Amino acid sequence: MDFSIILALVSGVIALCAAGFFVYSVLQEPDGSRKMNEVAEAIKEGANAYLKRQYSTVAVFVIILFLIIGFAVSWSVAFAFIVGSILSALAGFIGMSISVRANVKTAQAAEKGLQKALDVSTRGGAVTGLTLVGLGLIGVSVFYVLFHSPLVLIGFGFGASLISLFARVGGGIYTKAADVGADLVGKVEKGIPEDDPRNPAVIADNVGDNVGDCAGMAADLFESFVVTIIAAMLLSVSVAGVGLNGFQTDSMFTTTPLAVASIGVLASIIGTFFFKLSGSKVMKALYQGVIVATILALIGFFIAFGWTYIFEVLIIGLVLTLAIFFVTEYYTGKDYAPVQGIAKAAKTGAGTNLIQGLAEGMQSVTIPLLLVVFAIIGSFMAGGIYGVSLAAVSMLSLTGIVITLDSFGPITDNAGGIAEMSGLKDKVLKVTGELDAVGNTTKATTKGFAIASAALSALVLFSVFSQQAGLTSINLFDTSVIVGLFLGGLLPFLFSSFLMKAVGRSAFDIVEEVRRQFKTMKIMSGKEKPDYAKCVDISTRSALKELMIPGILAVVSPLLVGFLFGLKALAGMLVGAIVVGFLLAIFMATGGAAWDNAKKYIEDGNFGGKGSDAHKAAVVGDTVGDPFKDTAGPALNSLIKVMNTVTLIFIGVLIAVSLNLI
């Protein structure tokens, strides 16, 4: 067996063992008071109930596709598709399960200070990150060894992509419907704090953090991680020779992506032990862990490959990761001009706040796009399209520690909510507040990472499609290509509109229910307890009702264009969707996060503080930004990758149709 395969299997097992260690470590921490556990239990029950109903709903769609793939392509590909779906769902479920337990333990740990709370929350986040990379490495390696078929690997990746799409869409609708409903009535109309126990939507809001930012992001990055590795293995055709009917050689080039990912995973495991405060800067402590992981990965890459073109493109991937982190933090962090400018604009009303936020969001696209362009140029010059694919794998090799930072966000957000709802001391609220503020930024920066990596992954997948379809060049003056480009550019907008409207409809139902409870129940006086379960149920039903149409759109549209207009039009469509989807995703995710932190900047006491006119205007901006940053923006990652993977699954059928063989 190839050494890279052995390394991948061993690294995957080590990652799962490390995740198990962190689970044990977190569960050994004290739970806190009875009141804290009552709140935490309500969050846990709501999150588990939603995820169970989501997976039950999606299972029907997965089974239908399993049968279609089995009859139209092959049953081995269909089997891989099912396993990919299961592992993607499992990664999200495991991560969320520990997240809803680490929240209350983080709140209790805050009694002992900032470092203790940071330790508990990052270890809880590490469970999600290390579980998904461990499952991903093992899954890809096992299917490669058993079937030795690129098409089977694509089936595995398509299963991961599909679950990622549904997790992102459903979780995003849930979390933002609850968040918007809670903010509009609680903050704007009643003037009560975000996590006030009198708000009937407060539990649904906390549940949403877990199903959206934890389970959703885990499925998203699991898919990016495995799909990028698989695409790079397929692109080894440029140096080794690969076809969809089987790998023609066991060349090192075919398994190199697994070795790269394995080294990054091992570096990430070590990096998770370096989240240590050297002062009071939590973000600095988190970046310390990421930088340690990056340096160790760099050393590992050099030991494995020496100073070759492979090492050079791997450096590009790591540099791109760090650059995307810092650029995203600049546009979304409270310490920088973009967010402060949006907050200042709120002084003259919601309109100017919205205008400034839209402008900053549009501008925020520029540097990430240039960074990705330079990374593509540099890696292509060094190693051709295979070099580009390795740069993407290098970037995603740090997924374990990146997701640790992302899952840290909902854990600390929930910890702050539990602390406030339980009436804990001010010193505890100060600690959870500091962690929560940083968590908002880490969620934004990891979304930037996810979007940039999705663009590179989709580009690599498109290159595989072009090779398999025999498209050595694409004529931009060809009518069918132009038609495809326009249709591909349209799709991210249409897809996003479905999600934005879904959040709006669901939020309307939440707002109406919260208003009803405030009107008919003695909640504000504290004589009656809000009916939290009702809002949880509304969010759950709304999210599940709304997630199917966007999912069907992503799967059916590329196949429809391929069957009706041919492979050239399909190629144009994929390119259009990648370019527009990438730009729109950055605009929405970064702009939405900037609106959110502008609101928090005002809540810190700037421009009038809480309850001021500027604060009310900023809440409106945040309300618009919420579905931008947590629903539509991140879901575009999954859209462009689902389109590419489903195309590769049915490439044989599409080619046959184009040749009039069917």
Side-chain angles (χ1 to χ4, degrees), residues 84-241:
S85 301
I86 292 172
L87 291 185
S88 180
L90 185 61
F93 176 76
I94 291 174
M96 195 206 69
S97 295
I98 194 64
S99 177
V100 295
R101 289 170 171 81
N103 52 14
V104 67
K105 294 175 181 292
T106 299
Q108 177 61 26
E111 287 270 7
K112 298 181 180 179
L114 191 58
Q115 182 63 64
K116 183 63 176 178
L118 179 65
D119 288 342
V120 176
S121 54
T122 51
R123 289 178 183 179
V127 174
T128 307
L130 299 181
T131 297
L132 79 87
V133 294
L135 292 175
L137 281 177
I138 293 171
V140 173
S141 302
V142 168
F143 274 102
Y144 173 80
V145 171
L146 291 180
F147 294 96
H148 218 60
S149 165
L151 194 57
V152 171
L153 289 179
I154 294 170
F156 180 81
F158 178 48
S161 297
L162 192 68
I163 295 301
S164 162
L165 180 67
F166 284 123
R168 266 302 188 195
V169 170
I173 293 171
Y174 184 111
T175 183
K176 290 305 107 180
D179 196 0
V180 169
D183 279 358
L184 285 180
V185 184
K187 285 187 176 181
V188 177
E189 296 181 11
K190 294 296 181 181
I192 58 178
E194 183 170 346
D195 291 308
D196 194 299
R198 293 172 294 179
N199 193 327
V202 70
I203 295 296
D205 186 12
N206 281 284
V207 170
D209 291 329
N210 293 285
V211 300
D213 282 320
C214 188
M217 180 63 102
D220 185 359
L221 265 297
F222 175 85
E223 175 248 356
S224 289
F225 183 71
V226 300
V227 165
T228 304
I229 294 172
I230 292 167
M233 293 174 75
L234 267 62
L235 276 180
S236 60
V237 64
S238 59
V239 287

Side-chain angles (χ1 to χ4, degrees), residues 138-426:
I138 293 171
V140 173
S141 302
V142 168
F143 274 102
Y144 173 80
V145 171
L146 291 180
F147 294 96
H148 218 60
S149 165
L151 194 57
V152 171
L153 289 179
I154 294 170
F156 180 81
F158 178 48
S161 297
L162 192 68
I163 295 301
S164 162
L165 180 67
F166 284 123
R168 266 302 188 195
V169 170
I173 293 171
Y174 184 111
T175 183
K176 290 305 107 180
D179 196 0
V180 169
D183 279 358
L184 285 180
V185 184
K187 285 187 176 181
V188 177
E189 296 181 11
K190 294 296 181 181
I192 58 178
E194 183 170 346
D195 291 308
D196 194 299
R198 293 172 294 179
N199 193 327
V202 70
I203 295 296
D205 186 12
N206 281 284
V207 170
D209 291 329
N210 293 285
V211 300
D213 282 320
C214 188
M217 180 63 102
D220 185 359
L221 265 297
F222 175 85
E223 175 248 356
S224 289
F225 183 71
V226 300
V227 165
T228 304
I229 294 172
I230 292 167
M233 293 174 75
L234 267 62
L235 276 180
S236 60
V237 64
S238 59
V239 287
V242 179
L244 282 182
N245 293 326
F247 288 95
Q248 298 172 13
T249 175
D250 276 324
S251 166
M252 62 163 282
F253 296 108
T254 304
T255 55
T256 290
L258 281 169
V260 172
S262 302
I263 293 169
V265 167
L266 294 174
S268 294
I269 294 171
I270 298 172
T272 58
F273 291 94
F274 283 85
F275 298 129
K276 300 298 180 184
L277 292 167
S278 56
S280 60
K281 296 288 186 180
V282 177
M283 183 59 80
K284 183 179 178 182
L286 296 177
Y287 277 153
Q288 180 174 284
V290 174
I291 291 172
V292 167
T294 303
I295 293 172
L296 291 175
L298 193 64
I299 294 171
F301 293 155
F302 182 75
I303 293 172
F305 305 108
W307 197 283
T308 60
Y309 81 90
I310 292 179
F311 180 64
E312 290 171 358
V313 299
L314 297 181
I315 293 175
I316 292 173
L318 294 178
V319 170
L320 179 60
T321 298
L322 294 178
I324 289 292
F325 262 75
F326 292 131
V327 170
T328 308
E329 184 187 354
Y330 171 74
Y331 277 102
T332 60
K334 292 188 293 182
D335 296 332
Y336 303 103
V339 166
Q340 292 178 8
I342 296 171
K344 184 178 180 180
K347 291 172 64 178
T348 50
T352 47
N353 175 263
L354 291 171
I355 291 169
Q356 186 71 16
L358 287 170
E360 292 291 356
M362 292 174 183
Q363 190 181 91
S364 71
V365 171
T366 306
I367 299 178
L369 175 66
L370 293 175
L371 288 171
V372 170
V373 167
F374 290 143
I376 291 171
I377 293 172
S379 54
F380 186 84
M381 290 177 64
I385 192 63
Y386 181 65
V388 176
S389 71
L390 287 182
V393 175
S394 172
M395 185 178 187
L396 282 156
S397 70
L398 297 180
T399 294
I401 198 162
V402 170
I403 291 298
T404 297
L405 267 60
D406 181 78
S407 296
F408 163 85
I411 290 172
T412 55
D413 193 338
N414 275 198
I418 292 170
E420 187 167 331
M421 294 177 71
S422 304
L424 298 186
K425 301 173 184 177
D426 287 343

Side-chain angles (χ1 to χ4, degrees), residues 62-87:
V62 169
I63 291 171
I64 292 172
L65 273 174
F66 166 76
L67 295 173
I68 292 174
I69 294 170
F71 285 111
V73 184
S74 82
W75 290 106
S76 58
V77 175
F79 172 66
F81 165 74
I82 283 287
V83 175
S85 301
I86 292 172
L87 291 185

